[in-house]
Amino acid sequence: MPKDAPRHGRTGQTIDSNKLDRVVADARRAMDDRAAGYREQALKLYPWVCGRCAREFDRSNLRELTVHHKDMDHDNNPPDGSNWELLCLYCHDNEHQKYEEHIAAVAAGRDTSVTGGRTAAPSTHNPFAGLADLLKKD
């Protein structure tokens, strides 16, 4: 390294400008790859609104808006976006939690198809149990 090579402000070590150039080039290449990825495609196709809670997003908080794969298959990325929906971080986590609970219920032998993925305890409460007696009081 030449004597006049740039030095790190804190450590005083010389900075390898060739390595820095490679890092910047790699970062630019990664940015281009992401732009071609499904997240960027989904953000171009759909309005920046959570599909569950309807929270709106702009450039300042866009990192909190995620792409959810409806069929849970991250390799299923049709160009028309039919397997995607935009969800905020919280709703996205909730969708995956519901899916995990469904898988656990199926593995345990409980049928969750009737309850939309939730297990339901049998109802024992009858809200009209005393209705006949109340109507006879007149």
Side-chain angles (χ1 to χ4, degrees):
M1 288 266 156
K3 286 184 176 183
D4 59 342
R7 296 192 172 275
H8 190 278
R10 197 170 7 143
T11 65
Q13 294 179 341
T14 57
I15 297 174
D16 182 358
S17 60
N18 291 330
K19 181 179 179 184
L20 184 58
D21 290 342
R22 283 191 307 272
V23 168
V24 170
D26 289 345
R28 286 188 178 144
R29 217 174 357 266
M31 183 178 70
D32 291 341
D33 290 345
R34 278 193 307 275
Y38 65 82
R39 183 173 195 279
E40 292 301 321
Q41 290 175 28
L43 290 173
K44 289 175 186 173
L45 284 173
Y46 297 112
W48 295 355
V49 176
C50 176
R52 293 288 187 274
C53 68
R55 178 178 165 200
E56 295 182 9
F57 293 82
D58 57 33
R59 292 210 180 276
S60 68
N61 61 356
L62 190 59
R63 68 189 173 282
E64 298 174 18
L65 187 62
T66 64
V67 178
H68 174 63
H69 289 80
K70 295 175 186 177
D71 68 356
M72 301 292 178
D73 180 0
H74 290 97
D75 293 325
N76 183 8
N77 294 304
D80 66 351
S82 58
N83 189 39
W84 305 326
E85 62 183 333
L86 296 178
L87 299 178
C88 71
L89 293 171
Y90 308 107
C91 292
H92 197 171
D93 285 347
N94 183 260
E95 283 300 308
H96 282 272
Q97 181 64 37
K98 288 191 313 188
Y99 180 71
E100 292 297 322
E101 289 171 0
H102 169 73
I103 295 299
V106 169
R110 295 188 304 266
D111 181 19
T112 61
S113 59
V114 176
T115 59
R118 298 178 313 275
T119 55
S123 177
T124 57
H125 176 70
N126 183 357
F128 303 109
L131 184 60
D133 293 334
L134 289 173
L135 293 174
K136 290 180 185 176
K137 285 188 176 183
D138 287 314

